[in-house]
């Protein structure tokens, strides 16, 4: 699982840096999907380690999803990041929907000390939040 995490991280870095920046999401029927990974501290029991690793994985996935939401193309000239900068309400709502994102999968290592969580949010929801802020 650790090797998979390194390969995934390398792919994200290459995709972001090698292609001139993050991908701008335009298709409203898509989902923003983020994968988080967590590892328990040494010395924890299987149950404690599982909960700790799962919490770490969820927190990482939420951070990644929040960052991805900022790249959603809302209008011809604006991305969600533009609304994020302008409005505290947009920031709060985007953080809220990312924190309450749909959990697609949860995977655990055999010993329960490593976890992987995949979450997603509809792109349409992110766009609606930003466009709602524009009307006010």
């Amino acid at each position: 699982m650790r090797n998979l995490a390194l390969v995934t991280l390398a792919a994200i870095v290459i995709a972001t840096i090698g292609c001139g920046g993050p991908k701008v999401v335009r298709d409203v029927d898509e989902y923003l999907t983020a994968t988080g990974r967590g590892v328990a501290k040494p010395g924890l029991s299987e149950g404690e380690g599982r909960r700790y690793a799962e919490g770490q994985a969820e927190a990482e996935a939420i951070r990644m999803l929040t960052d991805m939401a900022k790249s959603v193309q809302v209008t011809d000239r604006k991305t969600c990041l533009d609304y994020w900068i302008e409005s505290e309400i947009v920031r709060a709502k985007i953080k809220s929907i990312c924190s309450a994102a749909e959990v697609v999968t949860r995977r655990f290592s055999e010993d329960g000390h490593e976890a992987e969580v995949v979450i997603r949010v509809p792109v349409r929801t992110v766009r609606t939040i930003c466009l709602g802020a524009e009307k006010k």
Side-chain angles (χ1 to χ4, degrees), residues 60-124:
E60 180 181 299
I62 290 168
R63 279 191 301 272
M64 291 176 67
L65 194 61
T66 303
D67 287 341
M68 291 170 66
K70 295 175 193 176
S71 69
V72 172
Q73 189 75 37
V74 179
T75 65
D76 290 341
R77 295 187 178 141
K78 287 188 168 185
T79 64
C80 184
L81 179 60
D82 298 314
Y83 295 95
W84 178 277
I85 292 168
E86 295 170 3
S87 171
E88 188 173 320
I89 293 171
V90 168
R91 282 192 300 276
K93 287 183 177 183
I94 296 295
K95 287 178 183 178
S96 177
I97 65 162
C98 290
S99 295
E102 174 189 359
V103 176
V104 179
T105 60
R106 292 179 198 271
R107 295 186 192 120
F108 298 93
S109 63
E110 289 180 21
D111 66 357
H113 281 74
E114 293 182 29
E116 178 181 274
V117 176
V118 179
I119 59 175
R120 71 181 188 174
V121 168
V123 173
R124 183 179 308 249

Side-chain angles (χ1 to χ4, degrees), residues 48-63:
E48 292 171 331
R50 182 182 172 112
R51 284 190 300 276
Y52 187 88
E54 183 179 20
Q56 293 286 321
E58 284 182 12
E60 180 181 299
I62 290 168
R63 279 191 301 272

